[in-house]
Amino acid sequence: MNKTCTDDANQKLDLDVITPVIFDNAYYIGLTMGQGVFTSDISLFRNPITKPIVCQFATDKDAFFKQFADSMFKLSNVPRNDGNRGEIRSNCFVSNAGPRRAVDAVIEQVVDFAASF
């Protein structure tokens, strides 16, 4: 991990070090080989409760894809309290409407929080 971390806040790291541009179960394979990027990732393999899950997903790609599909379905049914506002961004780091000031985001959160009571 120390070899890949820098002081550059703009540097991006791949969490899947084996197949970073392919959606597959290689992230879990990497964890079984000690190749997690974050300490929290590596902890998934070291923890006796989550280790069997990591091992199953590492050895059974179909189990990983089935669980992923089930989880995405459950997530799609989580109620939202923001009137279902949202956007599919063309750039993950910038709203489609353009960059916002940090203070605007805080004000919006406070308004949404107050409106949820």
Side-chain angles (χ1 to χ4, degrees), residues 12-77:
K12 299 172 189 160
L13 296 175
D14 294 315
L15 298 181
D16 174 357
V17 297
I18 298 174
T19 56
V21 296
I22 299 171
F23 180 66
D24 58 13
N25 65 330
Y27 166 81
Y28 295 97
I29 295 169
L31 291 182
T32 65
M33 299 185 309
Q35 295 180 338
V37 174
F38 297 113
T39 304
S40 57
D41 295 333
I42 297 165
S43 296
L44 290 172
F45 184 65
R46 292 183 178 161
N47 183 302
I49 295 171
T50 54
K51 183 176 182 174
I53 299 168
V54 171
C55 291
Q56 179 185 18
F57 290 164
T59 58
D60 187 347
K61 188 185 290 190
D62 290 337
F64 163 72
F65 281 121
K66 179 171 181 351
Q67 183 59 59
F68 181 83
D70 291 347
S71 297
M72 291 304 292
F73 179 77
K74 287 179 184 178
L75 183 61
S76 73
N77 288 306

Side-chain angles (χ1 to χ4, degrees), residues 58-103:
T59 58
D60 187 347
K61 188 185 290 190
D62 290 337
F64 163 72
F65 281 121
K66 179 171 181 351
Q67 183 59 59
F68 181 83
D70 291 347
S71 297
M72 291 304 292
F73 179 77
K74 287 179 184 178
L75 183 61
S76 73
N77 288 306
V78 172
R80 294 176 52 171
N81 64 355
D82 65 356
N84 205 25
R85 291 179 309 174
E87 65 184 9
I88 298 174
R89 295 182 178 190
S90 55
N91 177 335
C92 295
F93 301 104
V94 180
S95 169
N96 291 336
R100 298 184 331 176
R101 298 176 309 156
V103 69

